Amino acid sequence: MKRILVGLSGGVDSAVSAALLLEQGYCVEAAFMHNWHSDSHSKCQAHEDYKAALSVAEHLKIPLHSID
């Protein structure tokens, strides 16, 4: 079985990509990249994105690696 690592943002595109790869028989693992640190003035909160990615990974039953 071929293994593949998918960048998982928690958004629809990466989630569907991971799901399609699973359907095709790949052994899928996911990685979430922390590219910034959240602050109270930012519209995009990294911890919220990570929670979304974690939720997708749990739903798909794939491991999620967190990379800083």
Side-chain angles (χ1 to χ4, degrees), residues 23-45:
E23 284 181 4
Q24 293 175 24
Y26 288 92
C27 178
V28 179
E29 293 189 24
F32 178 84
M33 292 175 47
H34 294 274
N35 294 320
W36 67 91
H37 295 281
S38 299
D39 61 41
S40 60
H41 303 293
S42 175
K43 281 182 131 181
C44 197
Q45 299 291 320

Side-chain angles (χ1 to χ4, degrees), residues 13-67:
D13 295 338
S14 60
V16 170
S17 295
L20 289 173
L21 288 164
L22 284 169
E23 284 181 4
Q24 293 175 24
Y26 288 92
C27 178
V28 179
E29 293 189 24
F32 178 84
M33 292 175 47
H34 294 274
N35 294 320
W36 67 91
H37 295 281
S38 299
D39 61 41
S40 60
H41 303 293
S42 175
K43 281 182 131 181
C44 197
Q45 299 291 320
H47 67 277
E48 293 297 324
D49 293 341
Y50 178 73
K51 286 187 345 188
L54 186 58
S55 176
V56 169
E58 288 173 348
H59 178 76
L60 295 175
K61 297 182 175 108
I62 60 175
L64 177 63
H65 306 279
S66 178
I67 302 167

